[in-house]
Amino acid sequence: MIKDIQILNTEILSDNWYTLNKVTYQFTKPDGSQQIQNREAYDRGNGATILLYNLEQKSIILTKQFRLPTYLNGNPSGMLIEACAGLLDKDNAEDCIKRETEEETGYKITDVRKIFEVYMSPGSVTEILYFFTAAYNKSMKVNDGGGLAHEEEHIEVLELDFEKALQMIDNGEIKDAKTIMLIQHLRLKSIL
């Protein structure tokens, strides 16, 4: 195990959309020798994600939107089916996910349950993602959702049968890690 980690230098390589840093650090190896390494770390802030589920209908709410990185890496349309998510923007995770849920899906929720927090890509991204679930019903629908116009969000809201969503994972229609983790959580905990 390495120990005595010291940050020697941090250089900003890009501060356009989020921040890409080149970090030079030193540490002590298990044999007692010291080593210096350079790594790039993308800092986009922390985020939250949620899966809304309806016990009576056995359904879930997901979103569909264009994601440029998937388009650049083989997704012909660039469209991705995902659980609702957003960056914390200095909010706490629970407030963030309630706000994002209403903006993206149109559902106003009050009772959310945090299930875990995860580093999604720890080799290159600093983000911790907070995972939530919440029950929903039609009475909670307060608008059409779809995201914020000033953020150029063009989000389609999907209400899917839970078993259909599981099939969509199997056939590759759902490829988003956070979404798969949330759907599998509902199944593993026998919620749906």
PDB file of all heavy atoms in Angstrom, residues 38-67:
ATOM      1  N   ASN A  38       2.729  11.577 -12.509  1.00  0.00           N
ATOM      2  CA  ASN A  38       1.830  12.599 -13.055  1.00  0.00           C
ATOM      3  C   ASN A  38       0.552  11.902 -13.513  1.00  0.00           C
ATOM      4  O   ASN A  38       0.621  10.857 -14.156  1.00  0.00           O
ATOM      5  CB  ASN A  38       2.444  13.288 -14.286  1.00  0.00           C
ATOM      6  CG  ASN A  38       3.685  14.066 -13.942  1.00  0.00           C
ATOM      7  OD1 ASN A  38       3.620  14.984 -13.157  1.00  0.00           O
ATOM      8  ND2 ASN A  38       4.808  13.689 -14.523  1.00  0.00           N
ATOM      9  N   ARG A  39      -0.567  12.487 -13.200  1.00  0.00           N
ATOM     10  CA  ARG A  39      -1.853  11.982 -13.678  1.00  0.00           C
ATOM     11  C   ARG A  39      -2.745  13.165 -13.999  1.00  0.00           C
ATOM     12  O   ARG A  39      -2.613  14.242 -13.411  1.00  0.00           O
ATOM     13  CB  ARG A  39      -2.559  11.116 -12.620  1.00  0.00           C
ATOM     14  CG  ARG A  39      -1.862   9.814 -12.289  1.00  0.00           C
ATOM     15  CD  ARG A  39      -1.967   8.814 -13.430  1.00  0.00           C
ATOM     16  NE  ARG A  39      -1.392   7.544 -13.092  1.00  0.00           N
ATOM     17  CZ  ARG A  39      -0.125   7.182 -13.286  1.00  0.00           C
ATOM     18  NH1 ARG A  39       0.723   8.046 -13.806  1.00  0.00           N
ATOM     19  NH2 ARG A  39       0.303   5.989 -12.955  1.00  0.00           N
ATOM     20  N   GLU A  40      -3.682  12.947 -14.914  1.00  0.00           N
ATOM     21  CA  GLU A  40      -4.698  13.945 -15.206  1.00  0.00           C
ATOM     22  C   GLU A  40      -5.973  13.556 -14.476  1.00  0.00           C
ATOM     23  O   GLU A  40      -6.333  12.377 -14.426  1.00  0.00           O
ATOM     24  CB  GLU A  40      -4.944  14.024 -16.711  1.00  0.00           C
ATOM     25  CG  GLU A  40      -3.751  14.575 -17.461  1.00  0.00           C
ATOM     26  CD  GLU A  40      -3.943  14.608 -18.969  1.00  0.00           C
ATOM     27  OE1 GLU A  40      -5.063  14.310 -19.441  1.00  0.00           O
ATOM     28  OE2 GLU A  40      -2.972  14.934 -19.668  1.00  0.00           O
ATOM     29  N   ALA A  41      -6.626  14.538 -13.903  1.00  0.00           N
ATOM     30  CA  ALA A  41      -7.879  14.311 -13.187  1.00  0.00           C
ATOM     31  C   ALA A  41      -8.893  15.354 -13.643  1.00  0.00           C
ATOM     32  O   ALA A  41      -8.615  16.559 -13.620  1.00  0.00           O
ATOM     33  CB  ALA A  41      -7.668  14.394 -11.681  1.00  0.00           C
ATOM     34  N   TYR A  42     -10.048  14.884 -14.060  1.00  0.00           N
ATOM     35  CA  TYR A  42     -11.127  15.743 -14.537  1.00  0.00           C
ATOM     36  C   TYR A  42     -12.052  16.041 -13.364  1.00  0.00           C
ATOM     37  O   TYR A  42     -12.613  15.132 -12.753  1.00  0.00           O
ATOM     38  CB  TYR A  42     -11.863  15.005 -15.648  1.00  0.00           C
ATOM     39  CG  TYR A  42     -12.775  15.868 -16.496  1.00  0.00           C
ATOM     40  CD1 TYR A  42     -12.342  17.062 -17.055  1.00  0.00           C
ATOM     41  CD2 TYR A  42     -14.070  15.458 -16.766  1.00  0.00           C
ATOM     42  CE1 TYR A  42     -13.170  17.829 -17.854  1.00  0.00           C
ATOM     43  CE2 TYR A  42     -14.912  16.219 -17.564  1.00  0.00           C
ATOM     44  CZ  TYR A  42     -14.455  17.402 -18.100  1.00  0.00           C
ATOM     45  OH  TYR A  42     -15.277  18.161 -18.878  1.00  0.00           O
ATOM     46  N   ASP A  43     -12.191  17.318 -13.030  1.00  0.00           N
ATOM     47  CA  ASP A  43     -13.034  17.722 -11.907  1.00  0.00           C
ATOM     48  C   ASP A  43     -14.285  18.398 -12.454  1.00  0.00           C
ATOM     49  O   ASP A  43     -14.232  19.507 -12.959  1.00  0.00           O
ATOM     50  CB  ASP A  43     -12.274  18.687 -10.998  1.00  0.00           C
ATOM     51  CG  ASP A  43     -13.059  19.057  -9.756  1.00  0.00           C
ATOM     52  OD1 ASP A  43     -14.237  18.672  -9.630  1.00  0.00           O
ATOM     53  OD2 ASP A  43     -12.487  19.753  -8.898  1.00  0.00           O
ATOM     54  N   ARG A  44     -15.391  17.683 -12.369  1.00  0.00           N
ATOM     55  CA  ARG A  44     -16.661  18.217 -12.862  1.00  0.00           C
ATOM     56  C   ARG A  44     -17.641  18.450 -11.728  1.00  0.00           C
ATOM     57  O   ARG A  44     -18.815  18.708 -11.936  1.00  0.00           O
ATOM     58  CB  ARG A  44     -17.251  17.285 -13.920  1.00  0.00           C
ATOM     59  CG  ARG A  44     -17.508  15.882 -13.415  1.00  0.00           C
ATOM     60  CD  ARG A  44     -18.026  14.938 -14.482  1.00  0.00           C
ATOM     61  NE  ARG A  44     -19.152  15.418 -15.204  1.00  0.00           N
ATOM     62  CZ  ARG A  44     -20.425  15.260 -14.821  1.00  0.00           C
ATOM     63  NH1 ARG A  44     -20.708  14.608 -13.714  1.00  0.00           N
ATOM     64  NH2 ARG A  44     -21.401  15.741 -15.554  1.00  0.00           N
ATOM     65  N   GLY A  45     -17.160  18.327 -10.490  1.00  0.00           N
ATOM     66  CA  GLY A  45     -18.037  18.455  -9.340  1.00  0.00           C
ATOM     67  C   GLY A  45     -18.714  17.132  -9.030  1.00  0.00           C
ATOM     68  O   GLY A  45     -18.539  16.145  -9.744  1.00  0.00           O
ATOM     69  N   ASN A  46     -19.458  17.109  -7.953  1.00  0.00           N
ATOM     70  CA  ASN A  46     -20.186  15.905  -7.556  1.00  0.00           C
ATOM     71  C   ASN A  46     -21.616  15.981  -8.070  1.00  0.00           C
ATOM     72  O   ASN A  46     -22.121  17.053  -8.382  1.00  0.00           O
ATOM     73  CB  ASN A  46     -20.160  15.738  -6.041  1.00  0.00           C
ATOM     74  CG  ASN A  46     -18.754  15.483  -5.534  1.00  0.00           C
ATOM     75  OD1 ASN A  46     -17.946  14.850  -6.217  1.00  0.00           O
ATOM     76  ND2 ASN A  46     -18.445  15.972  -4.353  1.00  0.00           N
ATOM     77  N   GLY A  47     -22.270  14.827  -8.142  1.00  0.00           N
ATOM     78  CA  GLY A  47     -23.614  14.783  -8.691  1.00  0.00           C
ATOM     79  C   GLY A  47     -24.530  13.860  -7.917  1.00  0.00           C
ATOM     80  O   GLY A  47     -24.128  13.209  -6.949  1.00  0.00           O
ATOM     81  N   ALA A  48     -25.761  13.802  -8.380  1.00  0.00           N
ATOM     82  CA  ALA A  48     -26.776  12.940  -7.784  1.00  0.00           C
ATOM     83  C   ALA A  48     -27.621  12.347  -8.900  1.00  0.00           C
ATOM     84  O   ALA A  48     -27.789  12.955  -9.956  1.00  0.00           O
ATOM     85  CB  ALA A  48     -27.657  13.730  -6.810  1.00  0.00           C
ATOM     86  N   THR A  49     -28.132  11.150  -8.658  1.00  0.00           N
ATOM     87  CA  THR A  49     -28.999  10.471  -9.612  1.00  0.00           C
ATOM     88  C   THR A  49     -30.129   9.788  -8.857  1.00  0.00           C
ATOM     89  O   THR A  49     -29.982   9.470  -7.670  1.00  0.00           O
ATOM     90  CB  THR A  49     -28.205   9.464 -10.472  1.00  0.00           C
ATOM     91  OG1 THR A  49     -29.067   8.912 -11.471  1.00  0.00           O
ATOM     92  CG2 THR A  49     -27.602   8.346  -9.643  1.00  0.00           C
ATOM     93  N   ILE A  50     -31.248   9.567  -9.547  1.00  0.00           N
ATOM     94  CA  ILE A  50     -32.415   8.977  -8.886  1.00  0.00           C
ATOM     95  C   ILE A  50     -33.179   8.093  -9.851  1.00  0.00           C
ATOM     96  O   ILE A  50     -33.230   8.363 -11.053  1.00  0.00           O
ATOM     97  CB  ILE A  50     -33.345  10.072  -8.324  1.00  0.00           C
ATOM     98  CG1 ILE A  50     -34.410   9.472  -7.392  1.00  0.00           C
ATOM     99  CG2 ILE A  50     -33.976  10.891  -9.449  1.00  0.00           C
ATOM    100  CD1 ILE A  50     -35.132  10.515  -6.557  1.00  0.00           C
ATOM    101  N   LEU A  51     -33.766   7.063  -9.304  1.00  0.00           N
ATOM    102  CA  LEU A  51     -34.694   6.235 -10.067  1.00  0.00           C
ATOM    103  C   LEU A  51     -36.059   6.315  -9.395  1.00  0.00           C
ATOM    104  O   LEU A  51     -36.213   5.953  -8.226  1.00  0.00           O
ATOM    105  CB  LEU A  51     -34.225   4.776 -10.127  1.00  0.00           C
ATOM    106  CG  LEU A  51     -35.056   3.861 -11.012  1.00  0.00           C
ATOM    107  CD1 LEU A  51     -35.104   4.359 -12.458  1.00  0.00           C
ATOM    108  CD2 LEU A  51     -34.513   2.439 -10.972  1.00  0.00           C
ATOM    109  N   LEU A  52     -37.031   6.846 -10.137  1.00  0.00           N
ATOM    110  CA  LEU A  52     -38.405   6.901  -9.664  1.00  0.00           C
ATOM    111  C   LEU A  52     -39.082   5.587 -10.018  1.00  0.00           C
ATOM    112  O   LEU A  52     -38.921   5.085 -11.133  1.00  0.00           O
ATOM    113  CB  LEU A  52     -39.151   8.055 -10.334  1.00  0.00           C
ATOM    114  CG  LEU A  52     -38.589   9.458 -10.144  1.00  0.00           C
ATOM    115  CD1 LEU A  52     -39.453  10.467 -10.880  1.00  0.00           C
ATOM    116  CD2 LEU A  52     -38.460   9.813  -8.678  1.00  0.00           C
ATOM    117  N   TYR A  53     -39.847   5.049  -9.077  1.00  0.00           N
ATOM    118  CA  TYR A  53     -40.542   3.783  -9.327  1.00  0.00           C
ATOM    119  C   TYR A  53     -41.967   3.845  -8.790  1.00  0.00           C
ATOM    120  O   TYR A  53     -42.257   4.550  -7.836  1.00  0.00           O
ATOM    121  CB  TYR A  53     -39.783   2.604  -8.704  1.00  0.00           C
ATOM    122  CG  TYR A  53     -39.696   2.663  -7.192  1.00  0.00           C
ATOM    123  CD1 TYR A  53     -40.672   2.073  -6.393  1.00  0.00           C
ATOM    124  CD2 TYR A  53     -38.648   3.328  -6.566  1.00  0.00           C
ATOM    125  CE1 TYR A  53     -40.600   2.137  -5.013  1.00  0.00           C
ATOM    126  CE2 TYR A  53     -38.568   3.399  -5.190  1.00  0.00           C
ATOM    127  CZ  TYR A  53     -39.544   2.803  -4.419  1.00  0.00           C
ATOM    128  OH  TYR A  53     -39.490   2.887  -3.054  1.00  0.00           O
ATOM    129  N   ASN A  54     -42.856   3.110  -9.458  1.00  0.00           N
ATOM    130  CA  ASN A  54     -44.254   3.030  -9.060  1.00  0.00           C
ATOM    131  C   ASN A  54     -44.562   1.567  -8.761  1.00  0.00           C
ATOM    132  O   ASN A  54     -44.515   0.720  -9.667  1.00  0.00           O
ATOM    133  CB  ASN A  54     -45.141   3.560 -10.188  1.00  0.00           C
ATOM    134  CG  ASN A  54     -46.596   3.593  -9.797  1.00  0.00           C
ATOM    135  OD1 ASN A  54     -47.175   2.566  -9.473  1.00  0.00           O
ATOM    136  ND2 ASN A  54     -47.187   4.772  -9.841  1.00  0.00           N
ATOM    137  N   LEU A  55     -44.836   1.270  -7.494  1.00  0.00           N
ATOM    138  CA  LEU A  55     -45.074  -0.107  -7.068  1.00  0.00           C
ATOM    139  C   LEU A  55     -46.328  -0.709  -7.698  1.00  0.00           C
ATOM    140  O   LEU A  55     -46.336  -1.874  -8.098  1.00  0.00           O
ATOM    141  CB  LEU A  55     -45.187  -0.191  -5.541  1.00  0.00           C
ATOM    142  CG  LEU A  55     -43.898   0.025  -4.755  1.00  0.00           C
ATOM    143  CD1 LEU A  55     -44.185   0.082  -3.262  1.00  0.00           C
ATOM    144  CD2 LEU A  55     -42.890  -1.068  -5.070  1.00  0.00           C
ATOM    145  N   GLU A  56     -47.409   0.079  -7.786  1.00  0.00           N
ATOM    146  CA  GLU A  56     -48.664  -0.445  -8.313  1.00  0.00           C
ATOM    147  C   GLU A  56     -48.563  -0.760  -9.800  1.00  0.00           C
ATOM    148  O   GLU A  56     -49.024  -1.801 -10.257  1.00  0.00           O
ATOM    149  CB  GLU A  56     -49.795   0.554  -8.053  1.00  0.00           C
ATOM    150  CG  GLU A  56     -50.104   0.707  -6.579  1.00  0.00           C
ATOM    151  CD  GLU A  56     -50.840   1.997  -6.257  1.00  0.00           C
ATOM    152  OE1 GLU A  56     -51.162   2.771  -7.187  1.00  0.00           O
ATOM    153  OE2 GLU A  56     -51.078   2.229  -5.064  1.00  0.00           O
ATOM    154  N   GLN A  57     -47.962   0.152 -10.552  1.00  0.00           N
ATOM    155  CA  GLN A  57     -47.829  -0.049 -12.004  1.00  0.00           C
ATOM    156  C   GLN A  57     -46.629  -0.910 -12.371  1.00  0.00           C
ATOM    157  O   GLN A  57     -46.499  -1.327 -13.517  1.00  0.00           O
ATOM    158  CB  GLN A  57     -47.648   1.314 -12.707  1.00  0.00           C
ATOM    159  CG  GLN A  57     -48.826   2.207 -12.634  1.00  0.00           C
ATOM    160  CD  GLN A  57     -48.529   3.553 -13.301  1.00  0.00           C
ATOM    161  OE1 GLN A  57     -49.369   4.412 -13.252  1.00  0.00           O
ATOM    162  NE2 GLN A  57     -47.389   3.763 -13.921  1.00  0.00           N
ATOM    163  N   LYS A  58     -45.712  -1.104 -11.408  1.00  0.00           N
ATOM    164  CA  LYS A  58     -44.447  -1.794 -11.673  1.00  0.00           C
ATOM    165  C   LYS A  58     -43.701  -1.106 -12.821  1.00  0.00           C
ATOM    166  O   LYS A  58     -43.263  -1.730 -13.774  1.00  0.00           O
ATOM    167  CB  LYS A  58     -44.675  -3.276 -11.955  1.00  0.00           C
ATOM    168  CG  LYS A  58     -45.385  -3.989 -10.818  1.00  0.00           C
ATOM    169  CD  LYS A  58     -44.786  -5.337 -10.551  1.00  0.00           C
ATOM    170  CE  LYS A  58     -45.450  -6.093  -9.440  1.00  0.00           C
ATOM    171  NZ  LYS A  58     -45.411  -5.499  -8.145  1.00  0.00           N
ATOM    172  N   SER A  59     -43.577   0.221 -12.671  1.00  0.00           N
ATOM    173  CA  SER A  59     -42.947   1.026 -13.713  1.00  0.00           C
ATOM    174  C   SER A  59     -41.877   1.927 -13.111  1.00  0.00           C
ATOM    175  O   SER A  59     -41.820   2.132 -11.893  1.00  0.00           O
ATOM    176  CB  SER A  59     -44.002   1.869 -14.437  1.00  0.00           C
ATOM    177  OG  SER A  59     -44.656   2.727 -13.520  1.00  0.00           O
ATOM    178  N   ILE A  60     -41.038   2.461 -13.988  1.00  0.00           N
ATOM    179  CA  ILE A  60     -39.992   3.394 -13.592  1.00  0.00           C
ATOM    180  C   ILE A  60     -39.986   4.575 -14.565  1.00  0.00           C
ATOM    181  O   ILE A  60     -40.503   4.471 -15.676  1.00  0.00           O
ATOM    182  CB  ILE A  60     -38.596   2.729 -13.548  1.00  0.00           C
ATOM    183  CG1 ILE A  60     -38.205   2.163 -14.919  1.00  0.00           C
ATOM    184  CG2 ILE A  60     -38.542   1.650 -12.467  1.00  0.00           C
ATOM    185  CD1 ILE A  60     -36.793   1.605 -14.984  1.00  0.00           C
ATOM    186  N   ILE A  61     -39.386   5.668 -14.117  1.00  0.00           N
ATOM    187  CA  ILE A  61     -39.233   6.850 -14.968  1.00  0.00           C
ATOM    188  C   ILE A  61     -37.755   6.995 -15.330  1.00  0.00           C
ATOM    189  O   ILE A  61     -36.891   7.036 -14.447  1.00  0.00           O
ATOM    190  CB  ILE A  61     -39.709   8.134 -14.247  1.00  0.00           C
ATOM    191  CG1 ILE A  61     -41.185   8.048 -13.877  1.00  0.00           C
ATOM    192  CG2 ILE A  61     -39.411   9.376 -15.093  1.00  0.00           C
ATOM    193  CD1 ILE A  61     -42.142   8.048 -15.053  1.00  0.00           C
ATOM    194  N   LEU A  62     -37.475   7.065 -16.627  1.00  0.00           N
ATOM    195  CA  LEU A  62     -36.129   7.311 -17.128  1.00  0.00           C
ATOM    196  C   LEU A  62     -36.175   8.503 -18.080  1.00  0.00           C
ATOM    197  O   LEU A  62     -37.247   9.003 -18.410  1.00  0.00           O
ATOM    198  CB  LEU A  62     -35.575   6.073 -17.849  1.00  0.00           C
ATOM    199  CG  LEU A  62     -35.371   4.822 -16.983  1.00  0.00           C
ATOM    200  CD1 LEU A  62     -34.912   3.654 -17.841  1.00  0.00           C
ATOM    201  CD2 LEU A  62     -34.394   5.089 -15.847  1.00  0.00           C
ATOM    202  N   THR A  63     -35.022   8.946 -18.507  1.00  0.00           N
ATOM    203  CA  THR A  63     -34.932  10.046 -19.458  1.00  0.00           C
ATOM    204  C   THR A  63     -34.131   9.584 -20.674  1.00  0.00           C
ATOM    205  O   THR A  63     -33.404   8.594 -20.616  1.00  0.00           O
ATOM    206  CB  THR A  63     -34.250  11.279 -18.832  1.00  0.00           C
ATOM    207  OG1 THR A  63     -32.905  10.946 -18.491  1.00  0.00           O
ATOM    208  CG2 THR A  63     -34.998  11.759 -17.607  1.00  0.00           C
ATOM    209  N   LYS A  64     -34.276  10.329 -21.755  1.00  0.00           N
ATOM    210  CA  LYS A  64     -33.506  10.050 -22.967  1.00  0.00           C
ATOM    211  C   LYS A  64     -33.019  11.386 -23.509  1.00  0.00           C
ATOM    212  O   LYS A  64     -33.812  12.312 -23.678  1.00  0.00           O
ATOM    213  CB  LYS A  64     -34.381   9.339 -23.996  1.00  0.00           C
ATOM    214  CG  LYS A  64     -33.648   8.874 -25.225  1.00  0.00           C
ATOM    215  CD  LYS A  64     -34.605   8.080 -26.123  1.00  0.00           C
ATOM    216  CE  LYS A  64     -33.890   7.507 -27.314  1.00  0.00           C
ATOM    217  NZ  LYS A  64     -34.804   6.713 -28.164  1.00  0.00           N
ATOM    218  N   GLN A  65     -31.699  11.462 -23.740  1.00  0.00           N
ATOM    219  CA  GLN A  65     -31.139  12.707 -24.258  1.00  0.00           C
ATOM    220  C   GLN A  65     -29.843  12.448 -25.018  1.00  0.00           C
ATOM    221  O   GLN A  65     -29.244  11.384 -24.892  1.00  0.00           O
ATOM    222  CB  GLN A  65     -30.920  13.719 -23.143  1.00  0.00           C
ATOM    223  CG  GLN A  65     -29.933  13.299 -22.066  1.00  0.00           C
ATOM    224  CD  GLN A  65     -29.844  14.329 -20.963  1.00  0.00           C
ATOM    225  OE1 GLN A  65     -29.630  15.508 -21.214  1.00  0.00           O
ATOM    226  NE2 GLN A  65     -30.010  13.894 -19.726  1.00  0.00           N
ATOM    227  N   PHE A  66     -29.432  13.444 -25.782  1.00  0.00           N
ATOM    228  CA  PHE A  66     -28.199  13.349 -26.558  1.00  0.00           C
ATOM    229  C   PHE A  66     -27.002  13.494 -25.631  1.00  0.00           C
ATOM    230  O   PHE A  66     -26.950  14.412 -24.813  1.00  0.00           O
ATOM    231  CB  PHE A  66     -28.149  14.440 -27.632  1.00  0.00           C
ATOM    232  CG  PHE A  66     -26.888  14.427 -28.446  1.00  0.00           C
ATOM    233  CD1 PHE A  66     -26.699  13.470 -29.429  1.00  0.00           C
ATOM    234  CD2 PHE A  66     -25.895  15.357 -28.224  1.00  0.00           C
ATOM    235  CE1 PHE A  66     -25.531  13.443 -30.177  1.00  0.00           C
ATOM    236  CE2 PHE A  66     -24.729  15.355 -28.974  1.00  0.00           C
ATOM    237  CZ  PHE A  66     -24.547  14.383 -29.950  1.00  0.00           C
ATOM    238  N   ARG A  67     -26.019  12.586 -25.788  1.00  0.00           N
ATOM    239  CA  ARG A  67     -24.771  12.626 -25.026  1.00  0.00           C
ATOM    240  C   ARG A  67     -23.615  12.533 -26.006  1.00  0.00           C
ATOM    241  O   ARG A  67     -23.332  11.465 -26.549  1.00  0.00           O
ATOM    242  CB  ARG A  67     -24.703  11.488 -24.015  1.00  0.00           C
ATOM    243  CG  ARG A  67     -25.764  11.557 -22.932  1.00  0.00           C
ATOM    244  CD  ARG A  67     -25.608  12.788 -22.085  1.00  0.00           C
ATOM    245  NE  ARG A  67     -26.313  12.668 -20.823  1.00  0.00           N
ATOM    246  CZ  ARG A  67     -26.398  13.649 -19.958  1.00  0.00           C
ATOM    247  NH1 ARG A  67     -25.845  14.820 -20.217  1.00  0.00           N
ATOM    248  NH2 ARG A  67     -27.041  13.476 -18.827  1.00  0.00           N
TER     249      ARG A  67
END
